[in-house]
Amino acid sequence: MRVILLVMSFLFVLTHVNSQNWLTSFDEAKEQASKGNQNIILVFQGSDWCAPCIKLDKEIWSTSEFQKLAKDHFIMLKADFPRKKANKLSENLTIQNAKLAETYNNQGFFPLVVLLNSKGDVLGKMGYEKLSPENYYKKLIAFEN
């Protein structure tokens, strides 16, 4: 029994240590980006209905390879638009995400990845692409030049 608890505790810690640090506040993302001289990756997604969004999360954002590359380079900001009642966001977060979409995703593309500087200026946009985490990262970096 102790071994099972120990293994479960280890797995819990491992998954949380390795998980991407996503922000949901645009103001906080801009503040952190400014302090750290970093850019912001703003991801528009439908986490419970958009198949390409789910693939992007699984194949890029959730990989340890991408997380290592992006850790000290990008601030990660998620604007989620779930449809299921069980995944409903708070009213404030729903309003904030709608404002972000109005500014950065007025055509309603999902997923949409927008690279922003710390002031909120758009450096580039892309969607889901079947790339390795390293190549996806390199494509994002290319927008900075």
Side-chain angles (χ1 to χ4, degrees):
M1 183 68 167
R2 285 185 180 174
V3 172
I4 291 171
L5 288 174
L6 183 62
V7 169
M8 288 177 68
S9 297
F10 176 75
L11 290 174
F12 177 80
V13 169
L14 184 64
T15 57
H16 284 80
V17 167
N18 219 11
S19 65
Q20 190 72 49
N21 184 25
W22 288 97
L23 299 178
T24 55
S25 166
F26 187 48
D27 290 335
E28 185 179 343
K30 288 194 301 185
E31 184 180 317
Q32 285 188 21
S34 183
K35 284 181 184 175
N37 196 26
Q38 297 169 296
N39 289 321
I40 301 165
I41 293 178
L42 168 58
V43 180
F44 290 94
Q45 69 174 29
S47 63
D48 62 5
W49 59 269
C50 171
C53 301
I54 295 165
K55 287 178 87 168
L56 184 61
D57 184 55
K58 181 181 176 191
E59 296 173 10
I60 304 298
W61 311 135
S62 295
T63 66
S64 60
E65 183 180 1
F66 183 84
Q67 291 169 13
K68 286 177 191 171
L69 291 168
K71 182 182 175 203
D72 296 321
H73 196 87
F74 294 122
I75 301 299
M76 304 297 290
L77 176 64
K78 186 181 296 187
D80 196 10
F81 293 82
R83 291 186 179 164
K84 295 180 182 175
K85 281 186 180 182
N87 300 327
K88 187 177 179 182
L89 304 175
S90 71
E91 186 176 341
N92 287 342
L93 194 51
T94 300
I95 291 168
Q96 177 196 254
N97 289 354
K99 287 179 183 177
L100 286 171
E102 189 177 304
T103 303
Y104 298 108
N105 190 11
N106 57 6
Q107 295 189 334
F109 293 126
F110 290 90
L112 181 66
V113 179
V114 184
L115 186 65
L116 305 169
N117 65 18
S118 61
K119 295 175 185 170
D121 301 322
V122 176
L123 303 176
K125 294 182 179 184
M126 63 189 289
Y128 170 79
E129 294 184 28
K130 185 92 173 125
L131 298 171
S132 69
E134 181 181 5
N135 287 337
Y136 203 91
Y137 174 82
K138 286 179 181 178
K139 198 160 186 179
L140 288 166
I141 293 293
F143 289 133
E144 295 177 327
N145 298 326

